[in-house]
Amino acid sequence: MNGAHEIEALVRRVVEQVLAGSGERRPLAAANWKMNHTSIEAAAFLEALDPGDSSCDIWIAPPATLLPGMKAIIERRNLPVTLCAQDVHEKENGAHTGEISAAMLKDAGAEAVLVGHSERREQGEGAERLQAKAEQAAAHGLRILYCIGESEAEYSAGLTKQVLARQLEAVRNIPANLLDIAYEPVWAIGTGRAAGKEDAQEIHAFIRLEVQRHFPDQSGAVRIVYGGSVKPENASGYADGADIDGALVGGASLHAESFQSIIHAFQKKGGSGG
Ligand code: PEP
C-alpha cells in the first residue's frame, strides 16, 4: 500500500463531497476497455498517459484480471486514475463459478464499478438483478457508474424518456454520493453514430430532473456522463452541454493519446482553461 496514494484518494473524495454539497460537479472521463488489453498493453497505456491537470476525474475500467497490476503502476507513478470494474456479482460470495464479488473487486484495486452496461443487459441482466448489483456494490463502498440508454427501436418509437425513467428506478436506493449515471444510447455504442450534442444535452437535462426527483437533497452529487462513439473530434461538443458532466468512452479509450484528448476536452469544462 502506498500512503501518498491513499491520502490523495482521500483528499479527492473529500473534494468530491464538498463539490457535491455545493451543487458543483467535477467532470469525469471514464474509459471502458471491455475485453481488450493484456497486462503489457495496459502497462504501456499507463506509461504513455499524460493525465494533464487535476480538474477532471479519470476512471479506467479494464478487464478484472488487470486491476492489481494497474493499481501497482498507478501508485508507483502517482497517477490520478481511479480503477473501475466492468461488472460485479450481486451476491456476497458462494457457488457462482466465474463471477467476481464486490469485496474481491475492492481487494484487487477497484474503487468503482459499471452497472447496467448495455452489453451486460444484452446478456439478460434485467432491472431486478441490476438493482441487486448496485446495492451490493454500494454496500461495499464502491462508486457506481450506472449505464442507461434506449435501443434503436425505442428511439425510433419516441420512447427514450420513458425507457430512461424506468431504468433509473433500479438505483433509487443507492446513496447519491456513490452514484453517477452514464447515458448511452444503445444505437450509438461502438457504431460511430454518436448522438448530436444538442440531443444529448436535452436528454441529460431530462435525466437531471429525474435525478432531482429521486434525490431531492443530494442530486448535486450525481454526475451524468454521455457515452456512445465519443471521440477526440466530438468530445468538446459534449463538454459544452450544461448537463453533460463527462464521457464514458469505449473504442477511443484504448489508446492513451485519444483518451487523453477526451480528458483534455473535459478538463476545460472543469476550469483549467487550458
Ligand atoms: C461503451 O461501450 O460504453 C461505449 C461508449 O463504447 P464506444 O465509445 O466505443 O461507443
Side-chain angles (χ1 to χ4, degrees):
M1 189 178 305
N2 175 326
H5 185 77
E6 295 295 317
I7 290 167
E8 201 175 292
L10 184 66
V11 169
R12 268 209 313 276
R13 274 199 293 276
V14 170
V15 169
E16 273 170 21
Q17 275 163 12
V18 171
L19 287 176
S22 71
E24 277 182 61
R25 293 173 297 276
R26 277 173 66 77
L28 167 65
N32 177 12
W33 283 1
K34 312 189 187 192
M35 199 172 71
N36 291 292
H37 283 341
T38 61
S39 56
I40 289 175
E41 289 161 344
F45 179 103
L46 289 176
E47 291 301 335
L49 184 71
D50 172 2
D53 68 34
S54 58
S55 59
C56 173
D57 286 349
I58 303 169
W59 291 12
I60 300 178
T65 50
L66 298 181
L67 288 169
M70 288 181 69
K71 173 86 173 165
I73 297 170
I74 287 166
E75 288 185 351
R76 179 168 51 75
R77 283 200 57 208
N78 207 16
L79 288 170
V81 170
T82 295
L83 286 173
C84 177
Q86 296 180 11
D87 187 27
V88 61
H89 196 266
E90 66 272 27
K91 292 279 174 4
E92 190 63 31
N93 53 25
H96 306 288
T97 302
E99 298 287 355
I100 305 179
S101 74
M104 292 168 187
L105 293 173
K106 281 200 84 169
D107 185 45
E111 294 176 55
V113 62
L114 304 180
V115 173
H117 192 279
S118 66
E119 288 154 17
R120 302 297 317 169
R121 290 181 193 262
E122 276 164 20
Q123 302 297 314
E125 294 189 7
E128 215 172 294
R129 184 147 190 227
L130 295 176
Q131 177 175 345
K133 285 184 175 216
E135 289 174 6
Q136 178 68 3
H140 284 267
L142 286 165
R143 291 194 66 93
I144 294 144
L145 183 49
Y146 180 60
C147 305
I148 57 175
E150 79 284 5
S151 68
E152 171 97 66
E154 290 160 340
Y155 174 71
S156 305
L159 295 173
T160 298
K161 291 180 180 173
Q162 236 171 286
V163 168
L164 300 179
R166 194 181 64 232
Q167 290 176 337
L168 282 169
E169 291 294 326
V171 288
R172 278 201 90 98
N173 301 327
I174 302 302
N177 66 350
L178 288 180
L179 182 65
D180 296 299
I181 308 286
Y183 168 55
E184 299 206 298
V186 178
W187 47 268
I189 296 179
T191 59
R193 227 183 106 202
K197 59 181 184 173
E198 281 88 11
D199 294 344
Q201 163 54 30
E202 185 199 325
I203 298 299
H204 278 237
F206 167 77
I207 297 169
R208 178 87 59 217
L209 289 176
E210 288 295 294
V211 166
Q212 279 162 359
R213 203 165 59 77
H214 285 221
F215 308 101
D217 302 325
Q218 289 178 287
S219 62
V222 180
R223 290 174 290 200
I224 306 168
V225 306
Y226 169 77
S229 297
V230 176
K231 307 275 178 245
E233 305 78 56
N234 61 16
S236 32
Y238 294 117
D240 287 341
D243 292 291
I244 302 180
D245 300 321
L248 175 56
V249 189
S253 75
L254 292 174
H255 302 286
E257 209 172 283
S258 51
F259 187 46
Q260 237 162 252
S261 305
I262 294 167
I263 295 168
H264 188 69
F266 285 95
Q267 278 169 342
K268 290 185 185 159
K269 185 180 183 99
S272 79

